[in-house]
Amino acid sequence: MKPPIAPRHPSRRTLHGVTITDDYAWLKDEKWQEVLRDPSLLDPEIRAYVEAENAYAEERLGPTRALQKTLVAEMRGRIKEDDSGVPTPDGPFSYLWKFREGGQHQQIGRTPRNGGEMQTILDGDALAKASDYFKFGGTRHSPDHRLEAWSADLRGSEYFTLRIRRWDTAEDLPDILTETSGSVVWGRDSSFFFYVQVDDNHRPLKVYRHVLGTAQADDVLVYEEQDAGWFTRIGESASGRFCVISGGDHDTTEEWLIDLSSPDPEPRLIAPREKGVRYSVADRGDELFILTNEGGAIDFRIATAPLAAPERSNWRELVPHRPGTYILDIELFAGHLARLERANALPSIVIRDLATGEEHAIAFDEAAYALDMAGGYEFDTTILRFVYSSMTTPSEVYDYDMATQERTLRKRQVIPSGHDPADYVTTRITATAHDGTEVRVSILHRRDLVRDGSAPLLLYGYGSYGMSMPASFSANRLSLVDRGFVYAIAHIRGGSDQGWSWYLDGKREKKTNTFDDFVSAGRALIEAGYTSAGRIVGHGGSAGGMLMGAVANRAPELFAGIIAEVPFVDVLATMLDDKLPLTPPEWPEWGNPITDAAAFNYIRSYSPYDNVTAQHYPAILAMAGLTDPRVTYWEPAKWVARLRATMTGGGPVILHTNMGAGHGGASGRFSRLDEVAIGYAFALDTVGLAGAKP
């Protein structure tokens, strides 16, 4: 079967003295807002082309179909099907989730605090039967434990509908709130809650107060963000006394507090926004604890301020800024402060006794690992919950007594089909980037690997928004590693793996450092004998998909294949379209090419779609979601069309679009495995290991 050839309908635009011709702009449906709500409204010509691409993908990947089924069976065999979470106590109950044997979606419920049979309030499998796609948003019980607010997305477009369910009857109240961000914050008397409304351009800008038993049309607007480039979120404060309204973009933040005991509250500003200053607050009595980069604290510091006078002039140092030690997050309790920090690309948790000021750290000994704090419901407790894993060690959940320094293992991830960490090796190497910067690379391989350069290697990367890629455990990866692959994660600039400055060195006018770091990581792995040129499969999604498009343009000779999931590859056109959901909020990350000629020219110099050239390309698999509001379906569709029309050899270039899902792919824990298997089978096939046995 020959690949589809997209018709060319040239569209031209001149900006900053440059005329851009786009042959495939027609693949963007001008009614994209309506398509997000109802995919059946997609323009028939566009639908025909996307479905032709899917037919070609099905045909081209057909020889790997048996392998895909084998991979799904392996990955499913590593999942404990009746898995459950560790119960989280709150007052007389402990709340938890679990799966039934064979279930795709969570059941959500509670037990008596000291143990007992679980009462299920939400059965995800039952709720999902009425639609092809189902994903829970937020769920939160009311302070009096009588009600459960819950939300779900039925399209993959991230428009969540909110409902309220009674614990005594398991029936929903008449209240139905549509097109929300999915989360709520309850008032203390359980008669009202706050939520965020998403507008027609899919931007969360308004916070409403809903009183139970009233219509959504009667809800009171309590906060409206005027800057379309800012996103608005809500959450509970540390003590549970306040609703915290958090607004911000990638450079700047601002927070407001709403008293949850007030019948008619007014949001109270903590400190007015100041470009480049980020902060977040937690409360304890009459004092606020503030995590911030204010005052040049690139890797952040912690300050305190009086609740009654929280303005910046009253911020007092508690934990000073230490360059190279990045404070990621804090959890505040009645008597302790826990902070998650990272130095040399390795995390640790530091506990501070607020009465004495004494500190101690929780750290681990593996060469590369992941560590995170798991928040709970209770404030007046000495128990901190955290989660640990490494690329060889399955996830472990601990309860840690901050007073006695005793840790209790509450759960260890079970691999039903078996897993012996001793069969694998986790290590790190350092790659030297083009400018001399040292970039760390985490590596997983079987212990019996011979480092002679013959092994295929999957190199994963992201490198945007300050998001780090932890060296955590993934059972799915074992299907590649057990077939001879080396699995590597490149901790490239644009992420915060080595501090906030690591992020700043990979954004806006320094964005190409991200791509160069990834290429340098690949070459370092070759030099160290883990693989060889033409044996690497690059893998990234979303902004990591942009990375995949950029490195395919810049260093195609390194790669046997490229897996680009929901790839953000049409950067220039998207940043020029201020009507799209994420465009104004993304300008601080990439620059605003509408008003800034330098940003226009710089983005144009690396945007993967705009830099496709007449050269040999590796095999490429692009995966998209029709109802994706973040990376719209037409970006990968346009990219694939231009690749086919321009490249002089290589390939194949394959586009697989999920017609019933969005940014996260298929819903359901087992359905998602089908998509993982497509990517892994593609990777194995491109390096000649489609017939390899684990």
Side-chain angles (χ1 to χ4, degrees):
M1 182 177 182
K2 292 183 178 180
I5 302 299
R8 298 188 182 199
H9 302 307
S11 171
R12 294 177 177 85
R13 178 177 184 178
T14 300
L15 196 64
H16 305 299
V18 177
T19 298
I20 302 170
T21 300
D22 190 344
D23 290 333
Y24 306 107
W26 65 272
L27 285 167
K28 172 190 172 184
D29 193 320
E30 293 304 317
K31 307 186 306 297
W32 60 266
Q33 293 101 327
E34 288 83 355
V35 173
L36 284 179
R37 295 179 175 89
D38 184 355
S40 69
L41 297 177
L42 183 66
D43 178 273
E45 183 183 7
I46 298 172
R47 179 178 293 277
Y49 174 73
V50 174
E51 289 179 344
E53 286 284 5
N54 278 349
Y56 173 70
E58 182 73 14
E59 176 82 11
R60 192 62 184 76
L61 295 169
T64 69
R65 198 166 294 120
L67 173 59
Q68 291 175 39
K69 291 180 179 179
T70 298
L71 291 169
V72 168
E74 285 177 14
M75 292 186 287
R76 184 162 178 167
R78 299 189 192 104
I79 295 174
K80 188 176 187 294
E81 295 210 1
D82 58 348
D83 197 11
S84 61
V86 179
T88 302
D90 186 24
F93 300 102
S94 287
Y95 291 83
L96 74 158
W97 57 263
K98 71 175 183 179
F99 287 99
R100 61 168 53 86
E101 191 85 18
Q104 290 262 34
H105 304 276
Q106 291 179 342
Q107 296 173 280
I108 294 169
R110 69 188 183 193
T111 67
R113 185 184 182 103
N114 295 323
E117 186 176 346
M118 174 175 163
Q119 176 190 358
T120 299
I121 188 69
L122 295 166
D123 185 334
D125 290 323
L127 292 167
K129 287 181 178 178
S131 57
D132 294 332
Y133 183 96
F134 177 86
K135 183 179 180 180
F136 275 123
T139 63
R140 185 62 168 98
H141 57 274
S142 59
D144 63 8
H145 303 278
R146 294 186 307 106
L147 303 169
E148 187 79 15
W150 67 281
S151 62
D153 172 16
L154 302 183
R155 295 266 191 270
S157 54
E158 299 178 39
Y159 283 113
F160 291 92
T161 297
L162 270 168
R163 292 176 171 84
I164 309 299
R165 182 160 293 196
R166 293 175 52 166
W167 274 95
D168 59 351
T169 64
E171 295 176 342
D172 287 328
L173 300 180
D175 307 60
I176 299 177
L177 287 69
T178 61
E179 300 193 352
T180 80
S181 66
S183 59
V184 308
V185 175
W186 283 96
R188 299 315 299 163
D189 68 359
S190 303
S191 68
F192 66 92
F193 58 80
F194 298 96
Y195 68 96
V196 179
Q197 183 85 47
V198 181
D199 69 12
D200 287 341
N201 287 336
H202 213 285
R203 294 172 186 157
L205 299 175
K206 296 180 180 181
V207 179
Y208 285 91
R209 179 176 183 265
H210 177 77
V211 176
L212 295 179
T214 65
Q216 185 176 10
D218 298 328
D219 290 348
V220 176
L221 178 68
V222 297
Y223 176 84
E224 181 175 5
E225 175 55 54
Q226 299 300 318
D227 187 339
W230 274 40
F231 273 18
T232 304
R233 296 172 299 278
I234 58 172
E236 295 174 36
S237 70
S239 72
R241 294 165 55 197
F242 301 100
C243 171
V244 183
I245 300 175
S246 303
D249 57 22
H250 297 294
D251 282 340
T252 309
T253 63
E254 180 180 80
E255 294 198 341
W256 302 68
L257 298 182
I258 298 179
D259 187 342
L260 291 173
S261 64
S262 172
D264 190 19
E266 286 292 329
R268 181 180 175 190
L269 178 64
I270 300 300
R273 64 192 68 181
E274 181 179 316
K275 185 173 176 56
V277 173
R278 301 175 63 85
Y279 72 88
S280 59
V281 300
D283 68 307
R284 173 179 177 261
D286 58 3
E287 193 173 35
L288 294 177
F289 288 68
I290 304 160
L291 176 62
T292 183
N293 67 348
E294 190 267 343
I298 291 177
D299 286 318
F300 289 72
R301 63 188 179 94
I302 301 174
T304 62
L307 177 61
E311 53 269 19
R312 282 194 186 88
S313 60
N314 290 329
W315 292 7
R316 298 292 179 263
E317 195 90 305
L318 181 70
V319 178
H321 174 237
R322 294 156 296 155
T325 300
Y326 170 40
I327 306 176
L328 291 84
D329 194 14
I330 62 174
E331 289 282 349
L332 182 61
F333 300 89
H336 296 85
L337 174 69
R339 67 179 185 266
L340 178 65
E341 58 187 36
R342 186 187 302 118
N344 298 317
L346 288 177
S348 64
I349 295 173
V350 179
I351 307 298
R352 183 185 186 95
D353 187 310
L354 294 173
T356 66
E358 294 180 355
E359 293 189 347
H360 67 274
I362 311 171
F364 295 83
D365 297 328
E366 291 191 78
Y369 59 86
L371 186 62
D372 203 2
M373 299 187 296
Y377 297 121
E378 297 187 323
F379 179 65
D380 191 4
T381 179
T382 62
I383 301 301
L384 169 73
R385 183 165 292 170
F386 68 85
V387 183
Y388 171 85
S389 74
S390 76
M391 295 176 79
T392 58
T393 306
S395 175
E396 298 172 340
V397 181
Y398 290 89
D399 278 352
Y400 182 79
D401 193 311
M402 296 177 285
T404 66
Q405 301 187 29
E406 295 178 357
R407 68 179 71 175
T408 303
L409 178 64
R410 296 297 308 275
K411 179 184 177 182
R412 178 176 285 123
Q413 182 181 354
V414 174
I415 310 297
S417 59
H419 172 68
D420 185 352
D423 291 339
Y424 304 89
V425 173
T426 294
T427 189
R428 292 200 302 179
I429 66 168
T430 299
T432 302
H434 67 289
D435 58 359
T437 299
E438 293 187 342
V439 179
R440 290 174 174 82
V441 185
S442 297
I443 301 168
L444 170 70
H445 62 79
R446 286 196 62 87
R447 189 167 294 279
D448 57 6
L449 174 78
V450 177
R451 282 170 51 186
D452 60 2
S454 65
L457 182 144
L458 188 140
L459 182 58
Y460 182 84
Y462 188 76
S464 291
Y465 308 116
M467 293 179 62
S468 65
M469 293 295 108
S472 56
F473 183 78
S474 168
N476 291 343
R477 294 173 190 156
L478 300 179
S479 287
L480 288 179
V481 174
D482 286 346
R483 286 175 169 82
F485 260 85
V486 176
Y487 190 98
I489 301 172
H491 302 286
I492 51 184
R493 281 176 284 185
S496 61
D497 305 67
Q498 292 177 224
W500 198 250
S501 61
W502 200 248
Y503 163 53
L504 299 178
D505 279 344
K507 68 179 293 191
R508 270 202 303 265
E509 67 278 359
K510 298 181 179 180
K511 187 65 223 171
T512 55
N513 283 339
T514 300
F515 317 140
D516 293 333
D517 286 359
F518 191 83
V519 171
S520 296
R523 289 178 175 148
L525 288 160
I526 292 169
E527 291 172 8
Y530 286 103
T531 190
S532 57
R535 296 286 284 165
I536 298 174
V537 177
H539 184 197
S542 196
M546 175 193 63
L547 169 67
M548 293 301 101
V551 299
N553 288 336
R554 288 165 173 254
E557 72 282 357
L558 290 184
F559 302 98
I562 294 285
I563 303 171
E565 296 189 72
V566 289
F568 177 37
V569 283
D570 195 12
V571 185
L572 183 60
T574 294
M575 290 298 101
L576 287 171
D577 189 344
D578 60 5
K579 297 296 190 293
L580 292 175
L582 293 185
T583 294
E586 296 290 89
W587 287 330
E589 182 77 13
W590 316 103
N592 183 349
I594 299 174
T595 60
D596 185 344
F600 173 88
N601 289 319
Y602 187 60
I603 294 171
R604 184 166 170 257
S605 75
Y606 69 75
S607 174
Y609 177 69
D610 296 279
N611 286 276
V612 171
T613 60
Q615 64 177 346
H616 186 283
Y617 278 88
I620 293 175
L621 172 63
M623 304 179 75
L626 181 62
T627 55
D628 188 344
R630 304 185 188 213
V631 178
T632 50
Y633 73 86
W634 59 83
E635 289 205 34
K638 289 173 58 179
W639 179 50
V640 165
R642 178 168 280 185
L643 279 165
R644 289 218 193 96
T646 309
M647 59 194 286
T648 58
V653 178
I654 302 169
L655 173 64
H656 176 274
T657 302
N658 189 323
M659 303 299 282
H663 199 66
S667 63
R669 58 175 176 159
F670 301 134
S671 296
R672 174 60 184 153
L673 296 180
D674 293 335
E675 294 182 335
V676 175
I678 291 172
Y680 281 6
F682 171 83
L684 288 161
D685 190 42
T686 59
V687 298
L689 289 180
K693 303 298 182 184

